[in-house]
Amino acid sequence: MNICDYACGTADHTVNRRLFLGGGAAGLAGFAGMTTPAAARELKSVQKRMLVIFLSGGVSQLETWDPKPNTDTGGPFRAIPTSVPGIHMSELLPEAAKRMHLLTLVRGINTKEDEHGRGATIMLTGRRTEPGLVYPHVGAVAAKLLTDKDAELPGHIQITPRGGGGFNKEDAAFLGPKFASVTLGDGKPPADLLRPATLTTDAEREAFRRKLNDRFAKSRRSAQTEAYTESYEQAAKVVARADAFDASREDPKAADRYGRHDFGRHMLLARRLLEQGVTFVKVSHTNYDTHHENFDFHIEQLGEFDRPFAMLLDDLKERGMLESTLVVVMSEFGRTPRINDRYGRDHWSKAWSVAMAGCGLKAGAAVGKTNANGTAVTDREVNGGHLFHTYFRALGMDPTKNFYPAGRPVPIADPKAAAIHEILA
Amino acid sequence: MVIDITKTRVLMDLKHGRPLVGCRFDSSGRYLFASSEDDFIVRFDLLTREKVTLAGHSSWVRGMAFVAKPTLVPAASIPSLAILGGLGATRKPTPFVLLSGDYHGNLLWWRGEEDQPKPFRTVAAHAGWIRAVAVSPDRAAVATCGNDQLVKLWSAADGRPLATLEGHTSHVYNLAFHPSGTRLVSADLKGNIKDWDLATGKLVRELDAKVFHKYDSGFGADIGGIRGIAFNAAGTQLACIGITNVSNAFAGVGNPLVVLFDLADGKPKLLKPKDAFQGTGWGVNFLPDGTVVGAGGGGQGRIWFWNPADAANTHTVTVPTNARDMALHPDGSTLAIAGANGNCLIYSMNQAPAVPPKK
């Protein structure tokens, strides 16, 4: 039996979205329920979403979520009380501190990887870099598991600090390009989003395109041609929803609240995209790689981060979206407790923190502890795998289930780890 | 006393054990005060080598200045100078007040000569860091500046606020009183130097030291600031030190630089190290003969000497640690470095004593 209807005739493409969502393969029972109309309706009515705010370069846990004032590593800043008695944050996050009752802190992270690229891989895929297999990023997994098949907008979008947009097929790995991210460089819409005035939407021309496409597919259909077709169709839907990418349509008062700077604009765009139904949005804020003058630079960077972050939490809460949106603030790693001779902090993955909020989490909680000067985890040590499990548990998914690239079972999250159950609602 | 900068050598190595942030000699020259990352100020007695820890701040201290109390010490009782290893210092403690400003915005008053000084006044002076403290030549006013972009003047006697000078649009890194006492300059992150008339509180003019500032678009952050500032004794020149040519802000890749302003016409002159040293200049001053001396560090430290006439870097001394601050002793021939390694190094620039002939 030819199990593949692609032109190549191999088994390499036998696991696709249809199969994954309930095609009868053993072990997929956890997802089969999603294919029932009732479940689909429910999913649509309470669509789960995820927002990752990636503080590029490695934000200092000591200047954010796990301050150690008046110790040999603490630096010059105060720890301030938050809206949750007993939990303190750095004074550099006054607005976030007022919203600790919405947040969940994980303070015992040890990812054992101090290199930027590999650290990012751990945090975005939940696994260490492995030879021979590339794992999909959290955004691709979220898009695959949570995006309605009829969604008009891409399920996986990232907003980067600088210009240059594009399509990043690598970050979806074996899930396929449909779930890869679209980059909005500096929050600008995808290139060529708007149809040039010289082109018509002539139905006859579209019918002719479909006819040629179908004829080609009959003899030369492949995963690649299917991806092209899907991309084209997706692009047509996106063009019809071009306004979703235009943050300038937001109330100017909202822009004032978020801050009239790039990161404020990017966070407002993130809110808009989530509201428009995009499943996963990642906003990067650069840069925190402060080997030199860590304290001056954290004043500047966190001064830019704090307010838009707080405003977005407020808005999600006010709109009733926080219950269905998981928010995660992460980096590649943290920074060394030891202050170097240039007032810098270097890379440190052995004891650092992530902040989360929203969907499926216990709000106002902090799990994990580090020692008095923050050099080591002393309680509830977790790694990127634990976090990855936690994200999808919080989003209502079972991360112990498998994907089946090339027919081989690959667990959604690292089977050596498990969710941080203490913080799951 | 003859100064020969080529004979600059370590006179003392005073150990604290925690990385130092700043250092200043008191007006009598007997004590060296060094601030540290442990939130303490340490007083080194250069005569007795006694070390006293001053506890009162809860954050780092960068700004320190002194108000001597000449009325409490009649001229006739001013002690004679003692000579210790070429260092001039008074033998009997002379009462004086130490003012110190920290990164929580608190300005503290101490009786600096007491056996165990304790703060006797605390003023919440700024929102955020105090980056510099200076005392007016007549000792009546104290000036502070900080991250709230403000310059403030206080009564040295009782801590009353006297004036607030607004106009900077970034963190104010440094300030200095003109020797005449009529003007004050303040300098910020972006290299803007403001020259204030103290009688009116008005801005008189601005000097451009933007060569010290860069917005590093790769990292999305500003780097710069005037890290050290000093007038010459005649009040005709102003020297500022910092970092320039920054190619990587977050690794500190750039070069130290002194900008020397001629105050008559406001024109700057750039004083550069002769070697391709990478790092930040943290302290600058003038020797009695007008020589400009600066210190700073990157991986290690340097002390540079420049001839202000031709901007030539006439001599350089390697310091075995990042020099985070520099102080000039009142005798004009001795300086101190606050080291990132936790040590204060005291250097003498006196001409080396002649070696007595062997009998």
Side-chain angles (χ1 to χ4, degrees):
Chain A
M1 182 181 70
N2 183 1
I3 57 171
C4 176
D5 56 359
Y6 288 146
C8 66
T10 70
D12 289 352
H13 317 290
T14 51
V15 174
N16 56 24
R17 178 178 169 80
R18 177 168 47 82
L19 179 61
F20 181 84
L21 289 178
L28 289 178
F31 294 101
M34 289 170 55
T35 61
T36 65
R41 273 199 302 277
E42 188 181 355
L43 187 64
K44 193 161 188 174
S45 64
V46 191
Q47 187 206 345
K48 301 285 179 63
R49 312 166 197 82
M50 184 170 178
L51 168 67
V52 165
I53 303 165
F54 196 87
L55 305 183
S56 302
V59 73
S60 169
Q61 68 282 5
L62 296 145
E63 273 68 64
T64 51
W65 318 115
D66 194 13
K68 304 288 183 184
N70 310 117
T71 68
D72 61 334
T73 60
F77 299 115
R78 291 184 183 93
I80 56 172
T82 68
S83 59
V84 175
I87 297 180
H88 288 71
M89 281 182 200
S90 167
E91 65 173 312
L92 298 183
L93 297 174
E95 297 300 327
K98 291 175 196 162
R99 291 153 181 89
M100 180 62 222
H101 58 285
L102 302 176
L103 294 172
T104 307
L105 303 183
V106 180
R107 284 171 163 168
I109 301 173
N110 181 359
T111 41
K112 299 177 183 170
E113 177 55 67
D114 292 335
E115 191 274 325
H116 286 288
R118 292 194 293 269
T121 296
I122 289 171
M123 293 305 294
L124 292 172
T125 70
R127 288 169 162 100
R128 306 185 75 78
T129 304
E130 286 179 24
L133 186 57
V134 177
Y135 292 98
H137 284 202
V138 58
V141 176
K144 168 114 183 158
L145 300 183
L146 300 173
T147 303
D148 188 278
K149 68 181 177 58
D150 298 322
E152 294 172 334
L153 292 172
H156 184 188
I157 288 179
Q158 53 177 321
I159 301 168
T160 56
R162 283 182 286 279
F167 179 68
N168 314 290
K169 65 178 182 180
E170 297 81 9
D171 60 24
F174 54 73
L175 296 181
K178 180 172 182 180
F179 305 105
S181 65
V182 175
T183 295
L184 310 182
D186 191 27
K188 301 286 192 321
D192 305 320
L193 179 65
L194 300 177
R195 188 178 59 252
T198 53
L199 286 183
T200 67
T201 53
D202 178 37
E204 193 175 335
R205 192 164 55 84
E206 172 60 12
F208 184 57
R209 187 196 68 80
R210 284 180 182 276
K211 183 178 175 185
L212 292 178
N213 200 51
D214 292 346
R215 183 189 296 172
F216 185 83
K218 279 178 186 166
S219 58
R220 301 286 297 279
R221 183 165 178 258
S222 67
Q224 202 163 7
T225 61
E226 198 160 83
Y228 277 124
T229 301
E230 279 197 9
S231 299
Y232 188 89
E233 290 170 356
Q234 180 73 52
K237 292 177 187 171
V238 170
V239 167
R241 296 286 309 279
D243 63 332
F245 301 93
D246 187 359
S248 69
R249 290 172 180 263
E250 294 288 340
D251 183 347
K253 287 178 183 169
D256 289 339
R257 282 195 301 119
Y258 277 66
R260 296 281 185 177
H261 48 73
D262 289 348
F263 184 65
R265 181 165 50 83
H266 298 166
M267 289 288 274
L268 187 56
L269 176 60
R271 187 194 78 179
R272 182 176 180 83
L273 291 169
L274 292 167
E275 282 181 311
Q276 302 281 335
V278 173
T279 303
F280 180 95
V281 179
K282 176 184 165 204
V283 183
S284 296
H285 187 221
T286 191
N287 191 283
Y288 294 85
D289 194 16
T290 50
H291 297 278
H292 175 237
E293 306 210 342
N294 171 78
F295 307 102
D296 280 308
F297 289 131
H298 272 76
I299 290 175
E300 184 166 358
Q301 305 300 56
L302 292 172
E304 207 169 78
F305 163 81
D306 186 43
R307 174 163 283 277
F309 173 60
M311 294 302 104
L312 187 55
L313 287 178
D314 287 352
D315 288 353
L316 293 176
K317 178 74 176 169
E318 184 185 303
R319 287 160 167 75
M321 290 171 63
L322 197 56
E323 291 79 7
S324 57
T325 306
L326 175 64
V327 180
V328 181
V329 183
M330 65 163 75
S331 285
E332 302 96 300
F333 35 63
R335 304 212 73 81
T336 49
R338 177 184 172 273
I339 300 161
N340 70 27
D341 65 353
R342 290 164 294 152
Y343 294 116
R345 295 192 194 268
D346 303 308
H347 302 173
W348 188 255
S349 60
K350 294 181 180 61
W352 61 290
S353 306
V354 155
M356 298 194 275
C359 182
L361 297 175
K362 285 180 185 167
V367 66
K369 286 182 184 170
T370 52
N371 61 7
N373 61 1
T375 57
V377 177
T378 57
D379 181 49
R380 195 56 168 111
E381 180 174 307
V382 297
N383 60 36
H386 297 93
L387 291 166
F388 208 82
H389 275 273
T390 305
Y391 303 151
F392 288 98
R393 285 287 182 200
L395 288 164
M397 299 286 127
D398 181 353
T400 65
K401 302 299 181 188
N402 295 319
F403 293 121
Y404 286 88
R408 168 188 165 190
V410 176
I412 293 173
D414 187 347
K416 296 190 289 295
I420 309 167
H421 58 85
E422 303 96 308
I423 57 171
L424 291 172
Chain B
M1 196 170 294
V2 179
I3 292 175
D4 180 352
I5 58 175
T6 66
K7 299 293 190 293
T8 302
R9 62 203 180 277
V10 175
L11 200 62
M12 295 183 200
D13 187 353
L14 305 171
K15 299 183 192 309
H16 176 53
R18 295 279 293 124
L20 301 177
V21 175
C23 63
R24 288 291 180 271
F25 287 103
D26 82 297
S27 315
S28 76
R30 174 169 176 168
Y31 300 110
L32 177 68
F33 290 84
S35 56
S36 165
E37 286 183 13
D38 58 14
D39 305 341
F40 294 125
I41 297 172
V42 181
R43 186 185 70 190
F44 294 104
D45 186 328
L46 304 182
L47 281 179
T48 65
R49 305 292 184 104
E50 184 191 17
K51 176 181 158 187
V52 174
T53 299
L54 282 65
H57 287 285
S58 53
S59 186
W60 298 0
V61 171
R62 172 76 181 158
M64 290 184 284
F66 304 92
V67 184
K69 294 183 175 176
T71 55
L72 298 179
V73 185
S77 70
I78 293 175
S80 60
L81 288 176
I83 303 300
L84 180 72
L87 176 71
T90 54
R91 186 176 295 280
K92 184 180 174 184
T94 306
F96 63 95
V97 170
L98 162 68
L99 288 141
S100 55
D102 68 29
Y103 284 2
H104 287 175
N106 292 318
L107 181 63
L108 271 59
W109 272 250
W110 317 71
R111 293 185 181 89
E113 83 291 352
E114 289 184 345
D115 289 344
Q116 180 57 67
K118 297 188 185 312
F120 64 90
R121 181 180 299 118
T122 297
V123 170
H126 288 263
W129 294 13
I130 293 176
R131 288 187 181 260
V133 177
V135 171
S136 62
D138 65 2
R139 302 182 184 92
V142 181
T144 57
C145 61
N147 285 0
D148 56 7
Q149 306 182 2
L150 298 175
V151 176
K152 294 186 177 183
L153 291 161
W154 313 88
S155 163
D158 58 17
R160 280 181 299 109
L162 301 176
T164 297
L165 307 177
E166 299 181 38
H168 285 283
T169 55
S170 62
H171 296 173
V172 189
Y173 271 58
N174 239 310
L175 46 68
F177 282 95
H178 188 271
S180 68
T182 59
R183 303 267 274 269
L184 174 79
V185 294
S186 55
D188 65 26
L189 166 66
K190 296 189 175 174
N192 299 302
I193 300 175
K194 295 184 184 293
D195 186 354
W196 308 90
D197 183 322
L198 288 172
T200 64
K202 302 288 187 194
L203 182 66
V204 177
R205 67 171 166 175
E206 293 186 274
L207 299 171
D208 183 348
K210 294 185 180 67
V211 66
F212 287 122
H213 172 256
K214 176 181 178 177
Y215 179 75
D216 189 325
S217 58
F219 290 105
D222 293 281
I223 182 167
I226 281 67
R227 312 304 177 99
I229 196 166
F231 283 101
N232 66 347
T236 57
Q237 293 176 316
L238 176 72
C240 303
I241 195 166
I243 185 170
T244 193
N245 294 331
V246 175
S247 60
N248 182 332
F250 282 22
V253 180
N255 305 118
L257 177 74
V258 169
V259 176
L260 181 66
F261 289 98
D262 181 328
L263 292 174
D265 58 14
K267 287 185 177 170
K269 188 183 286 181
L270 305 186
L271 311 185
K272 303 174 182 176
K274 202 157 44 180
D275 60 350
F277 186 81
Q278 288 189 340
T280 303
W282 281 103
V284 69
N285 222 310
F286 291 87
L287 300 185
D289 66 355
T291 297
V292 177
V293 56
Q300 52 176 214
R302 291 282 191 279
I303 301 169
W304 302 276
F305 298 90
W306 288 275
N307 178 348
D310 61 5
N313 177 194
T314 51
H315 187 59
T316 300
V317 175
T318 296
V319 178
T321 181
N322 190 329
R324 288 173 163 185
D325 199 7
M326 182 189 74
L328 185 64
H329 191 273
D331 74 2
S333 67
T334 307
L335 56 82
I337 294 297
N341 64 354
N343 293 358
C344 261
L345 288 168
I346 297 186
Y347 288 85
S348 172
M349 297 169 283
N350 286 344
Q351 196 173 59
V355 179
K358 290 180 181 176
K359 292 182 179 176

